[in-house]
Amino acid sequence: MDGAERSGLRERTRRAVRAELAELALSLFVERGYEETTVEDIAAAAGLSKRSFFRYFPAKEDVVFGDVEDLADQVADAVRARPAGEAPWAVLRAVLREWEGRIHAARRDPATLRLIESTPALRARLNLRRDGMRERITAALLDRPGDGLDAFTADLLTACAAAAVDAAGREWLRGDGTADRGELVDRAFTLLAPAP
């Protein structure tokens, strides 16, 4: 096995451990409560030391949102890859509709979403992560050739698109996860569509 293969194996192992820790932590948070569950509890349940936990996540809050950074970069890349000449709102709608399933998977099930909504530290971290994702997507819109967008318009369109996805998620949660999230996203984008 050469160096590149070893590096790839290490990264896959790291991702697997992160995913396992995240699932374990989320189940503990839902069962016991976020504030009542310590990093030591999570580490012990996973058979790790507290120090090992912090090799995978910088803070307890991050265990809930660990894969959001990668997802943000992938969504931004998808925005850049859309056909030249496509209107910016259409780009955002197509990309976020296509990625809605993965975005939803990153936010987990209704129990986890309720946990996030009811825990101030998690809501604050979610808002911070959302801001980072919007910044990446705004930058990707500005990188597209030929759109002629200024920073204000790109930022506004991205914020509106994020509001559409967020509103669809809240409606899905109100219905206990029974509604079609993709249809909710389409409906939100239609209602918010800028005038031609």
Side-chain angles (χ1 to χ4, degrees):
M1 186 181 296
D2 68 14
E5 289 174 327
R6 273 193 296 275
S7 176
L9 179 60
R10 273 193 303 272
E11 185 55 32
R12 285 192 304 276
T13 301
R14 179 176 170 72
R15 284 188 191 138
V17 172
R18 281 174 57 91
E20 184 180 328
L21 274 172
E23 288 303 316
L24 180 60
L26 287 171
S27 67
L28 290 172
F29 294 159
V30 170
E31 177 187 322
R32 300 178 185 177
Y34 175 78
E35 296 298 338
E36 294 74 18
T37 305
T38 65
V39 169
E40 290 87 350
D41 294 334
I42 300 165
L48 297 172
S49 68
K50 180 179 174 181
R51 184 175 172 168
S52 293
F53 174 90
F54 288 117
R55 285 190 199 129
Y56 295 98
F57 295 101
K60 186 169 90 166
E61 296 91 353
D62 291 312
V63 78
V64 178
F65 307 109
D67 52 0
V68 173
E69 297 294 324
D70 290 339
L71 183 62
D73 289 335
Q74 292 169 356
V75 170
D77 289 344
V79 165
R80 287 183 188 93
R82 293 296 298 176
E86 188 173 26
W89 187 249
V91 167
L92 291 169
R93 182 178 188 158
V95 169
L96 292 174
R97 178 62 163 92
E98 177 186 339
W99 281 80
E100 191 282 326
R102 299 229 10 229
I103 292 168
H104 166 65
R107 293 182 180 174
R108 312 283 194 271
D109 58 30
T112 303
L113 289 173
R114 285 188 188 95
L115 174 74
I116 293 167
E117 289 296 318
S118 66
T119 308
L122 293 178
R123 286 182 66 188
R125 186 60 55 113
L126 175 62
N127 288 330
L128 186 66
R129 294 295 177 101
R130 283 178 176 164
D131 288 346
M133 182 178 250
R134 281 193 295 266
E135 288 171 9
R136 285 180 171 90
I137 294 171
T138 297
L141 272 180
L142 289 169
D143 288 347
R144 289 175 46 80
D147 285 340
L149 282 182
D150 59 276
F152 173 78
T153 304
D155 188 41
L156 180 62
L157 289 173
T158 302
C160 289
V165 172
D166 290 345
R170 284 191 300 276
E171 181 62 21
W172 178 82
L173 188 57
R174 279 189 289 273
D176 287 327
T178 58
D180 181 317
R181 287 180 63 103
E183 287 179 15
L184 291 171
V185 169
D186 284 339
R187 183 173 158 205
F189 267 84
T190 298
L191 288 169
L192 289 176

